[in-house]
Amino acid sequence: MCYRIRGGGIEFLLVQTRGGRWTFPKGGVEPGLTHAQAAALEAYEEAGVHGRMEEVSFTRYVRRKGSGSSSAIEVGVSAHLCEVLRLGPPQEFNRNRTWFSAEKAKRRLREERSPDYGAELARVVDRAVARVQRLRSGGGTATDVMPKVQCIDGTWRMTNHDRARGRHWKISQ
């Protein structure tokens, strides 16, 4: 869940699939990477995100892959918050990315999906809003509170200095 604060409100970055649906930047876990590192990699590749990803997932949801009820596969997804510092060009071609308010993001995520799945994605947005608001009301931002994976210019590192001082990785392209 890539987000930014604009005008006191929270905005979420969604990408459009090749089929025209709006979704979060997401993907599978790569061997040797944590869930947060894989999420940072996907946000960078799919949306050109440079930012700070929380190490700990704020929620989980079920992603449905495939079409048709008999062939659909359900995959558990760990959702991580990413405070976007800036956007560069996506590494994947033909990726339309757009910022949406929470309400507009939920509407876009419900489009062309089953009511249950659309509602589940909308709940992820609601949980992200609640998490960001809790962080902000505590006097800090997401970058101040939890261990992060930071992705800048294709290089990412752990930003919790007690756990991973000085560890850097280059995102392979």
Side-chain angles (χ1 to χ4, degrees), residues 59-80:
T59 193
R60 287 186 55 82
Y61 68 98
V62 175
R63 176 178 167 206
R64 290 162 181 87
K65 296 174 74 174
S67 60
S69 58
S70 62
S71 63
I73 299 170
E74 293 187 351
V75 179
V77 177
S78 296
H80 295 261

Side-chain angles (χ1 to χ4, degrees), residues 51-110:
R52 295 183 186 105
M53 181 80 62
E54 281 191 340
E55 173 95 5
V56 177
S57 169
F58 72 94
T59 193
R60 287 186 55 82
Y61 68 98
V62 175
R63 176 178 167 206
R64 290 162 181 87
K65 296 174 74 174
S67 60
S69 58
S70 62
S71 63
I73 299 170
E74 293 187 351
V75 179
V77 177
S78 296
H80 295 261
L81 278 179
C82 179
E83 183 178 25
V84 176
L85 302 176
R86 71 179 171 89
L87 291 175
Q91 301 301 299
E92 296 179 9
F93 296 108
N94 299 324
R95 288 294 181 168
N96 180 18
R97 61 186 182 190
T98 303
W99 290 104
F100 293 100
S101 68
E103 289 307 311
K104 286 185 181 177
K106 291 190 295 187
R107 280 199 299 275
R108 294 288 185 251
L109 291 165
R110 285 186 178 114

